Amino acid sequence: MTIESGDTAQDGSAASAAVTERSAETREAILTAAERLFAERGMSPVSNRQIGAAAGQANNSAVGYHFGSRTELVVAILRRHAAPIERRRAAMLAGLDTTSQLHDWIRCLVQPLTDHLADLGHPSWYARFLAQADIEPALRRVMVDNAAASPTMGQVVDGLCQLLPALPEHVHAERGAMSRQLIVHTCAERERALHEGGPTAHPTWQATATGLVDAIVGLWLTPVTPA
Amino acid sequence: MTIESGDTAQDGSAASAAVTERSAETREAILTAAERLFAERGMSPVSNRQIGAAAGQANNSAVGYHFGSRTELVVAILRRHAAPIERRRAAMLAGLDTTSQLHDWIRCLVQPLTDHLADLGHPSWYARFLAQADIEPALRRVMVDNAAASPTMGQVVDGLCQLLPALPEHVHAERGAMSRQLIVHTCAERERALHEGGPTAHPTWQATATGLVDAIVGLWLTPVTPA
DNA sequence: CCTTGAATAAGACACCCGACTTAGCTGGTC
DNA sequence: GACCAGCTAAGTCGGGTGTCTTATTCAAGG
């Protein structure tokens, strides 16, 4: 039998604390292993067996037992990072006021992720994982749904709309998509360079965020060539 | 025995025109099938057997016969599109002069691809294929090597360097990478939307190019926040 | 002490894959 | 006409994978 999605099984009263704790530990181990393997090799070529083995599980179907489907596994990885990122964004939003510039608002878009990546230390895999999930045709929908579910993200978008020049609806949508792509793939590229020991454009995640904010500000403020 | 990479086998004098032509036809069929399957499902989950079957080949190892390795298959797909794109870029470069603006040079970066995609008609898969190859860890190197081998690309970069404000070396590299990411993934996103019948930011590839050029110009002209 | 149920271990089964081998077909060469 | 080389068809084989089934461990409760 598989566990119902979402939380660990503690329905009724039968589940003991020790058991659920052990389960939670292996869940974490599986999530960590899966995130690493996905980032390194991509999603599809990594089998559930390999993930389980990398997580120290001898059971063939350990992954299937704790997470029903592949999609739920990905969602669980996203959720594990979403919480701290949301917390950072909420804190940054609280520091804004009516005198804040466009830079400050866009920084709320970028820095929660880069700070989180910096906090993860070296090596990290989350940025590359995000890039993989962003491309995988079957997972894009999960990505955007997960992003849309973020309450702080909505606040940032609202704030941006008031500061930005009036733009046609389709240009607004286009540049939003571009901003997302820049953030995800630039972070992934830097993380990859860090992992391989190659050269990086910026010495720190903080500097990377600054470069990204500059670029995205320019992207939004550039004039629209009429069709 | 496998064919040596590159062209079809016509060493010595034994190869007849009819045979090589038949071989070229199945090569084309395999390339077309592979490009479509890769774009739809990603690289790794698609097996050589499936590609061969989709190309109408009954042989298990048809792909392995015509293309030695997986990488060479990808390179062959890239090369098939590279030629017409190069041709377009060369023609655009010939139309530039000393009065050309930054917009015009950056258009030489974007429009050869978008025009090519428009020329492919509907449905096309090349943009999504590029995005997949850009992410696949094992294929990134092939991508950049292939791009660096383009002579017209070098001319564009040279032209841009003269028009752009003086930028620190690392910022220059960063924004170049961002430009590439924007082009590839924005085109992939539009192609995906076209394929799924969803809404698109722009009605045509031409308009998409204009939006991309605007964004990339803004990206390059935005001031650099000092560290 | 024995049972209960969750979590894991260990294995069985059918399936698909890549690599390899063999055979058949076709069109040119001598 | 015999021959040959390139291309394709068809099949074999070992290995990895997902799913399912059974056995084992372990803590809590009667």
Side-chain angles (χ1 to χ4, degrees):
Chain A
M1 185 196 302
T2 58
I3 280 184
E4 80 281 9
S5 69
D7 283 335
T8 49
Q10 49 184 6
D11 53 342
S13 59
S16 67
V19 169
T20 58
E21 184 185 354
R22 183 160 70 126
S23 174
E25 283 174 10
T26 59
R27 272 178 67 98
E28 287 296 304
I30 289 175
L31 288 178
T32 302
E35 183 180 322
R36 176 172 61 84
L37 291 173
F38 285 163
E40 286 177 346
R41 305 186 215 163
M43 304 262 152
S44 318
V46 177
S47 68
N48 284 351
R49 285 172 114 105
Q50 292 171 338
I51 296 172
Q57 298 296 307
N59 192 342
N60 281 342
S61 40
V63 174
Y65 177 79
H66 287 278
F67 309 88
S69 72
R70 194 79 165 206
T71 303
E72 295 179 61
L73 174 59
V74 172
V75 170
I77 297 176
L78 285 174
R79 279 232 269 256
R80 192 163 66 147
H81 293 276
I85 292 176
E86 283 290 289
R87 220 175 300 128
R88 289 179 192 277
R89 192 171 354 248
M92 286 187 69
L93 279 169
L96 294 185
D97 55 27
T98 54
T99 71
S100 299
Q101 306 290 320
L102 183 58
H103 270 82
D104 304 312
W105 282 92
I106 289 184
R107 188 163 280 276
C108 289
L109 223 55
V110 176
Q111 198 164 342
L113 175 59
T114 55
D115 280 357
H116 180 63
L117 289 169
D119 198 52
L120 290 176
H122 180 71
S124 67
W125 294 280
Y126 184 57
R128 281 167 289 172
F129 167 81
L130 278 181
Q132 296 283 352
D134 184 62
I135 285 301
E136 200 78 7
L139 264 52
R140 273 193 66 85
R141 186 168 201 98
V142 178
M143 283 279 291
V144 297
D145 289 355
N146 212 273
S150 157
T152 60
M153 207 64 171
Q155 296 181 40
V156 175
V157 172
D158 290 345
L160 282 176
C161 286
Q162 297 190 332
L163 275 173
L164 285 172
L167 291 172
E169 161 63 18
H170 69 280
V171 174
H172 199 91
E174 174 191 38
R175 295 186 176 180
M178 286 180 175
S179 302
R180 195 180 43 79
Q181 285 170 1
L182 273 186
I183 293 171
V184 170
H185 291 102
T186 299
C187 287
E189 196 158 326
R190 174 178 154 84
E191 190 183 77
R192 198 177 301 122
L194 277 179
H195 186 73
E196 297 171 355
T200 57
H202 297 284
T204 64
W205 281 111
Q206 178 79 28
T208 304
T210 301
L212 264 170
V213 170
D214 285 346
I216 294 174
V217 168
L219 185 153
W220 280 100
L221 291 185
T222 197
V224 179
T225 299
Chain B
M1 185 196 301
T2 57
I3 280 184
E4 79 281 9
S5 68
D7 283 335
T8 49
Q10 49 183 5
D11 54 342
S13 60
S16 68
V19 170
T20 57
E21 183 185 354
R22 183 160 67 127
S23 174
E25 283 174 9
T26 59
R27 273 179 66 98
E28 287 297 304
I30 289 175
L31 288 178
T32 302
E35 183 180 320
R36 175 172 61 84
L37 291 174
F38 286 162
E40 286 177 347
R41 306 186 214 163
M43 304 262 152
S44 316
V46 178
S47 67
N48 284 352
R49 285 170 115 105
Q50 292 171 337
I51 296 172
Q57 297 296 306
N59 192 341
N60 281 342
S61 40
V63 173
Y65 177 80
H66 287 278
F67 308 89
S69 72
R70 194 81 165 207
T71 302
E72 294 179 60
L73 174 59
V74 172
V75 170
I77 297 175
L78 286 173
R79 279 233 269 256
R80 192 163 66 147
H81 293 276
I85 292 176
E86 284 289 289
R87 220 174 301 128
R88 290 180 192 276
R89 185 158 15 234
M92 287 189 68
L93 278 169
L96 294 186
D97 56 27
T98 54
T99 71
S100 299
Q101 305 291 320
L102 182 59
H103 270 82
D104 304 312
W105 282 92
I106 289 184
R107 188 164 280 277
C108 290
L109 224 54
V110 176
Q111 198 164 342
L113 175 59
T114 55
D115 280 356
H116 180 63
L117 289 169
D119 197 52
L120 291 177
H122 181 71
S124 66
W125 294 280
Y126 184 57
R128 283 167 287 171
F129 167 82
L130 278 181
Q132 294 284 352
D134 185 62
I135 285 302
E136 199 79 7
L139 264 51
R140 273 192 66 86
R141 185 166 201 100
V142 177
M143 284 277 291
V144 298
D145 289 355
N146 212 273
S150 157
T152 61
M153 208 63 171
Q155 295 182 39
V156 175
V157 172
D158 291 344
L160 282 178
C161 285
Q162 296 190 332
L163 277 173
L164 285 173
L167 291 172
E169 160 64 18
H170 69 281
V171 174
H172 198 91
E174 175 192 37
R175 295 187 176 179
M178 287 180 174
S179 303
R180 195 180 45 78
Q181 285 169 359
L182 274 185
I183 294 172
V184 170
H185 290 103
T186 298
C187 287
E189 196 158 324
R190 174 178 154 83
E191 191 184 77
R192 199 177 300 123
L194 278 179
H195 185 73
E196 297 171 355
T200 56
H202 298 284
T204 64
W205 281 111
Q206 179 79 28
T208 305
T210 301
L212 264 172
V213 170
D214 284 347
I216 295 174
V217 167
L219 184 154
W220 280 100
L221 292 184
T222 196
V224 179
T225 299

